[in-house]
Amino acid sequence: MGQPVDMGKWKGLFEWSMQHQQDGTRASDIQEMPADKKAWLDNALQEFMKDFADRMKEIKHALSDEGQPAADQQQQQQQQQQQQQQQGAEAAEGGAAAAGLSLAEKEALCDELMDIVESVDCARDLHKIGGLPTLLSLMTSSHASLRWRAAEITATCMANNPPVQRWFMVGGALPPLLGLLADPSVVVRTKAVLALSALVRHYGPGLEAFRLAGGLTKLTALLGCSGTDAAVEAAAGAAGTGSSAGQQPGSSTAAAAAAGDAGGDEEAAEEQRLQQRSQQRRLARKVLALLHYMLLKHPADRLAAAEYGVVPQLAACLDAAPDSDMRQAALSVLAALLAEPRAWQWVQQHSGKQQLLQLLQRLQQQHAELEPEDREAEAEEGQLLAQCAAALQASQPPAGAGGGAEGGSLSGMDDHVDLDPYQDGGERAEKTVSIRQPQQQQQQQQQQQQGEMGEAQQEQQDGGGAAVGSMAIMAVPKQELR
């Protein structure tokens, strides 16, 4: 039971409220807010409750000049100068401030836009205000930091957002993203794969367009560049050779200084090597995930993937994988290949089949030697290893569930999300929802039940027999039988 109520406290609260209330019968100490404080409060509220659509427009206009060709920029600057001369000195100062954004300021604007479009509604609004051309322009920027930010913003807008997927697809987002797959920066390539994955997942037309544009070959080639550390080691070795070459003999002080500089360079090179290796592995995981999705949705492409040389690259990924997640990603792609009869036959005839089998058996042995808790945590990897090893040792091809020629170009549409015309913003007048009051619904149900009962009674009177009588009883609502 609760504690007894202290009525004295309630009486004290009542007396206090009566003492401090203002009923207009006596003067009040409350004064009107000064004009300067009122203006400050209004500005603070407007800044705090700023419309995201307006803010996206401001960011779009500030970033619109980035990535344009030099001729277009010069022509646009001439037009702006003419407009500024007509509009006066104030407009000229504003244009100069907008044109003078530094790279750090543009990166900050992109980061702010990234935070805004994480909302599904804001992502759609970005397209409606014409934000896609600005993103496509940023993808051609001379700064890698702006290119990868533009790709990441594009990926965030399209992720699980069917209207934006279609709008960006129609707006021409695919070609620039395909071009970024060959970007010198590994971060840009990673963000491009992320954006392409957001474009094709659960959107059949995007997946088909990616396939027709050579997406499978591009992913296979990209996996060859990111699946191993050979490129990273070669680049680091070249950097180390270049730093040590050209040293001239001199005094002991100069030699000690050179040794110190060499030690610092080696530490910096090692740190850079580790960072590059981490970025390459992150890229490989994303490529494997997108490749696995494509092969699941289009089983007929599995033979083509094997012919493009994906099997040796998968073996290299398995051999150099630093963790279970990377191995699971590579094993998932390999299992998808071995589940298709023609791809299975190609792998059986491949010269590296025996080395691949030995690699799988070695990984199985390592998995069996893990501690029970670790082995349980990596149970999926153990299942994939057993599945792939059994498929390589099998004498007969698999049944081809979900694969073969029947898994044609339309198989990628099985998880396609249809776009509601109302959600797409078109033909909204035709989208009507009939709303009926509960009382009207109840009356209609009663009339329907009475009609059914009348028909049953009429049939019983006409000699329908016991069966008809039972049907009449079944037609009576439960509340009438009680």
Side-chain angles (χ1 to χ4, degrees):
M1 297 180 61
Q3 297 180 355
V5 179
D6 188 358
M7 300 303 297
K9 294 181 179 180
W10 289 104
K11 182 180 179 181
L13 178 61
F14 173 74
E15 293 176 353
W16 179 88
S17 61
M18 294 298 295
Q19 182 180 359
H20 291 85
Q21 71 176 353
Q22 296 294 336
D23 55 359
T25 58
R26 59 179 182 268
S28 174
D29 297 336
I30 301 176
Q31 298 179 358
E32 185 178 358
M33 183 181 294
D36 55 344
K37 291 186 177 180
K38 186 183 296 184
W40 177 87
L41 181 60
D42 291 341
N43 293 333
L45 291 176
Q46 291 178 2
E47 187 69 22
F48 180 75
M49 304 178 63
K50 196 166 188 177
D51 189 2
F52 285 139
D54 294 338
R55 181 53 183 163
M56 286 192 295
K57 289 180 182 179
E58 295 175 0
I59 297 176
K60 168 184 171 296
H61 291 310
L63 297 174
S64 294
D65 295 338
E66 184 65 32
Q68 293 182 351
D72 295 344
Q73 289 185 2
Q74 184 177 4
Q75 182 179 3
Q76 185 175 4
Q77 290 177 358
Q78 293 177 356
Q79 295 177 357
Q80 290 179 354
Q81 290 177 359
Q82 294 177 358
Q83 294 177 358
Q84 290 170 1
Q85 292 176 359
Q86 296 175 358
Q87 295 176 358
E90 183 178 357
E93 294 177 359
L101 290 177
S102 63
L103 177 60
E105 291 173 336
K106 293 179 180 179
E107 292 174 355
L109 290 176
C110 289
D111 293 338
E112 182 181 356
L113 183 59
M114 176 69 186
D115 294 336
I116 295 176
V117 298
E118 287 181 353
S119 170
V120 175
D121 295 332
C122 291
R124 298 176 183 178
D125 292 339
L126 180 62
H127 167 75
K128 295 176 182 178
I129 65 174
L132 178 59
T134 301
L135 295 177
L136 300 182
S137 177
L138 288 173
M139 291 181 191
T140 61
S141 172
S142 58
H143 304 287
S145 59
L146 295 181
R147 295 197 299 272
W148 72 256
R149 281 179 169 84
E152 186 175 19
I153 294 172
T154 304
T156 304
C157 291
M158 293 188 296
N160 300 320
N161 202 338
V164 181
Q165 285 178 307
R166 189 182 72 83
W167 295 337
F168 279 25
M169 180 69 188
V170 176
L174 181 59
L177 291 175
L178 291 174
L180 292 182
L181 293 180
D183 195 274
S185 172
V186 63
V187 180
V188 176
R189 297 198 299 270
T190 303
K191 300 300 182 181
V193 175
L194 179 66
L196 289 169
S197 179
L199 175 62
V200 305
R201 287 185 181 274
H202 312 299
Y203 183 59
L207 180 57
E208 290 302 315
F210 181 58
R211 291 180 63 252
L212 295 177
L216 186 61
T217 58
K218 293 180 182 299
L219 289 180
T220 305
L222 199 59
L223 183 62
C225 298
S226 60
T228 63
D229 299 329
V232 178
E233 296 294 342
T241 304
S243 62
S244 61
Q247 294 182 359
Q248 298 293 334
S251 62
S252 59
T253 305
D261 294 341
D265 292 342
E266 289 179 359
E267 293 179 358
E270 180 64 22
E271 183 178 357
Q272 184 179 6
R273 188 184 298 110
L274 293 176
Q275 184 178 5
Q276 290 178 350
R277 185 181 293 111
S278 176
Q279 293 173 351
Q280 293 284 354
R281 289 168 176 169
R282 187 180 300 112
L283 173 60
R285 281 194 294 267
K286 293 187 180 299
V287 171
L288 289 170
L290 181 54
L291 184 61
H292 181 235
Y293 180 81
M294 290 186 64
L295 296 182
L296 285 182
K297 299 307 171 186
H298 287 270
D301 290 344
R302 300 177 188 180
L303 176 60
E307 293 175 346
Y308 291 153
V310 73
V311 176
Q313 296 169 5
L314 293 176
C317 289
L318 287 172
D319 193 16
D323 50 31
S324 180
D325 292 338
M326 174 75 80
R327 290 191 293 270
Q328 287 185 24
L331 288 171
S332 298
V333 178
L334 182 60
L337 291 176
L338 296 176
E340 204 275 333
R342 294 175 299 170
W344 175 87
Q345 186 176 3
W346 189 95
V347 176
Q348 291 290 338
Q349 299 173 357
H350 189 258
S351 59
K353 172 203 168 182
Q354 194 61 31
Q355 290 81 357
L356 179 60
L357 181 59
Q358 293 176 359
L359 174 61
L360 294 176
Q361 292 174 347
R362 176 168 60 86
L363 292 176
Q364 280 184 299
Q365 182 64 27
Q366 294 177 359
H367 184 270
E369 295 175 355
L370 292 175
E371 296 294 333
E373 295 180 357
D374 297 336
R375 188 166 58 251
E376 183 179 358
E378 300 177 5
E380 184 176 355
E381 177 187 349
Q383 295 175 0
L384 289 172
L385 285 169
Q387 178 183 350
C388 293
L392 285 177
Q393 294 174 333
S395 58
Q396 297 295 330
E406 63 272 18
S409 60
L410 294 180
S411 61
M413 301 292 290
D414 56 352
D415 67 340
H416 172 65
V417 179
D418 292 330
L419 196 61
D420 191 339
Y422 182 82
Q423 187 183 31
D424 192 22
E427 302 179 358
R428 295 197 173 192
E430 299 181 3
K431 186 72 175 183
T432 59
V433 179
S434 60
I435 300 177
R436 187 174 299 165
Q437 298 296 332
Q439 185 176 2
Q440 296 178 358
Q441 293 181 354
Q442 186 176 3
Q443 292 178 357
Q444 185 179 7
Q445 291 178 359
Q446 291 179 355
Q447 292 176 0
Q448 184 178 2
Q449 292 173 358
Q450 291 177 0
E452 293 177 355
M453 291 176 59
E455 293 177 359
Q457 292 176 357
Q458 183 66 31
E459 292 179 358
Q460 187 177 9
Q461 292 177 359
D462 293 342
V468 178
S470 62
M471 292 176 59
I473 295 177
M474 291 175 62
V476 178
K478 293 182 179 180
Q479 57 267 27
E480 296 185 8
L481 292 175
R482 294 176 181 174

